Amino acid sequence: MSTNLNLEEVSEFIRNTIRLKSYPVASKFLKDTSDFPEKTRTPSKQLGKKVSICQALSMARLYGWTVGITKEDVVCVPGAIVFGFSTAEDPAKTMSQLWCEGSYSKTEEIGYREAKNLYTFKTNEYSALLFSPLHRASFKPDTVVFYGNPAQLMRLIHAWTYGRGTRVMCSCGGKVECSEYLIAPFITQDARLAIPGTGDRIFSLTQDDEMIFAIPGAFLSELFENLKEAGKKVGATYPIPMNLNFQPEFPKFFKELGRKIGIES
């Protein structure tokens, strides 16, 4: 990402261009909580309660808060596992036990086959997560997250693929999708499309029509510039322009009556 990139300008342009209902979110993975910006809210201190990771992110995208969380702030067991906030020696095995117990997997073996494909951090690899509305971020984001409906995110996909020639990956299981839209873009340095999971919908106010598009922060400038060009010659915008240049077809009895009263179709 360009060091001269104006995050407020980028955020407002993207948000206004595709009419996003919530703020794009800048996320950062930190080794030390001393790197939290001034006025960062930590749920266990400011709110007196623990939260899920997706819930903390939604505080940034819906409330406009800068939120920092550590192991002490997280109550979500699956989230703690994938972000390295647990003591699980084998995260995939531990996750498979949880999924089997919750009837998300028929057997632990089946759960393990899925769980071992999750993107995870090692235990204590990072000590904190930081979320901020993109336009207020005082740091270079590791991952940038956009919530929107499929048509809105289609425009971001247009921008991402405009100069790359590769398609956007989507790997989903309906659960622990915070791994997919926060960790995966950072590790792969590629964009990801995610279908929010159960936790997102229960705890972070994610709506039925919302999906998630996430990119590595290093490529935010590219997305910003490409959104100005992608699909421009065919008028690709949001809201999607509708084609009204056609003659409607009506049932036969409409036409017959029309002819009787001087209206030809």
Side-chain angles (χ1 to χ4, degrees):
M1 185 176 74
S2 170
T3 56
N4 298 320
L5 194 63
N6 185 316
L7 295 182
E8 183 175 2
E9 176 187 353
V10 170
S11 178
E12 290 306 305
F13 174 79
I14 294 175
R15 192 179 181 208
N16 292 336
T17 298
I18 58 176
R19 314 287 181 88
L20 295 177
K21 292 192 294 184
S22 62
Y23 299 122
V25 174
S27 66
K28 190 79 174 173
F29 310 121
L30 301 175
K31 299 286 189 179
D32 195 329
T33 57
S34 65
D35 293 328
F36 281 165
E38 187 179 357
K39 297 183 179 180
T40 296
R41 288 178 168 91
T42 52
S44 62
K45 294 178 181 178
Q46 274 74 31
L47 303 179
K49 54 179 65 74
K50 296 185 177 185
V51 297
S52 65
I53 290 169
C54 57
Q55 188 179 356
L57 188 153
S58 276
M59 290 176 182
R61 78 178 184 98
L62 298 174
Y63 291 171
W65 292 355
T66 296
V67 181
I69 57 175
T70 66
K71 178 180 180 179
E72 287 68 34
D73 296 286
V74 177
V75 72
C76 175
V77 173
I81 292 171
V82 296
F83 281 88
F85 290 158
S86 80
T87 58
E89 295 182 3
D90 186 339
K93 183 178 180 180
T94 304
M95 191 73 75
S96 69
Q97 293 170 350
L98 186 67
W99 286 350
C100 187
E101 183 71 21
S103 70
Y104 279 118
S105 298
K106 187 174 183 179
T107 65
E108 287 188 22
E109 180 183 358
I110 289 172
Y112 183 78
R113 288 206 301 267
E114 180 184 351
K116 69 181 181 180
N117 292 309
L118 289 173
Y119 286 92
T120 64
F121 290 145
K122 297 175 183 177
T123 300
N124 298 322
E125 184 174 358
Y126 293 96
S127 63
L129 310 178
L130 178 63
F131 302 118
S132 172
L134 181 62
H135 69 285
R136 294 178 181 166
S138 59
F139 54 89
K140 292 182 182 179
D142 289 325
T143 304
V144 182
V145 180
F146 306 89
Y147 281 68
N149 66 45
Q152 291 170 319
L153 300 191
M154 176 194 70
R155 290 296 295 138
L156 293 179
I157 293 171
H158 287 163
W160 183 261
T161 59
Y162 178 74
R164 289 178 168 262
T166 57
R167 296 173 73 83
V168 173
M169 296 296 295
C170 177
S171 173
C172 55
K175 49 199 178 292
V176 204
E177 299 303 333
C178 53
S179 165
E180 184 66 14
Y181 58 75
L182 287 172
I183 302 176
F186 178 63
I187 291 178
T188 66
Q189 286 297 290
D190 203 353
R192 310 290 286 197
L193 183 68
I195 298 175
T198 308
D200 283 277
R201 301 179 189 283
I202 294 173
F203 303 122
S204 68
L205 306 186
T206 302
Q207 300 301 297
D208 288 355
D209 66 335
E210 288 184 308
M211 297 181 67
I212 302 171
F213 180 74
I215 65 169
F219 298 106
L220 180 60
S221 178
E222 177 185 325
L223 186 79
F224 170 55
E225 295 298 335
N226 287 353
L227 186 58
K228 300 175 184 178
E229 301 297 327
K232 183 168 68 175
K233 291 184 179 179
V234 296
T237 60
Y238 186 85
I240 308 301
M242 298 180 181
N243 176 24
L244 294 173
N245 186 21
F246 63 91
Q247 179 172 310
E249 280 292 326
F250 288 94
K252 182 179 179 181
F253 68 89
F254 274 66
K255 297 179 181 181
E256 293 174 347
L257 178 60
R259 283 193 292 269
K260 291 178 182 179
I261 60 176
I263 302 171
E264 294 294 332
S265 59

